[in-house]
Amino acid sequence: QEGYLEGLAALRPGSSLDLAAGEAVLLASDGVWGEVDEASLAALAQQHADDPQRLADALVAAALAAGAPDNATALVVQRSR
């Protein structure tokens, strides 16, 4: 799917992502990924587009509210504008 990194290739030492100013990367545990549907994730990303910490907090809160059965962790890294 467009916009998603899959597999471990992107995590090899020495690999990099070329982000444009304002673009972000989300790393999420299955507690978030399995509980927050794509439409909710997109809505939260738009709502918190300028604040990566708030986006991460909102994703974890949404996952916990949806009943995440295990850890719910989100890390959002955004290139400065």
Side-chain angles (χ1 to χ4, degrees):
Q1 294 178 358
E2 185 178 334
Y4 295 92
L5 293 175
E6 294 184 0
L8 298 177
L11 302 177
R12 289 191 181 134
S15 59
S16 63
L17 293 173
D18 187 20
L19 298 177
E23 286 187 325
V25 173
L26 165 64
L27 301 175
S29 67
D30 60 347
V32 171
W33 188 252
E35 297 298 328
V36 180
D37 63 74
E38 201 168 322
S40 297
L41 190 150
L44 288 169
Q46 284 194 349
Q47 182 180 355
H48 301 292
D50 292 329
D51 192 336
Q53 182 62 57
R54 282 196 154 171
L55 173 55
D57 292 343
L59 289 167
V60 170
L64 294 174
D70 59 4
N71 72 343
T73 305
L75 171 67
V76 181
V77 178
Q78 184 178 42
R79 183 172 177 186
S80 58
R81 293 181 189 263

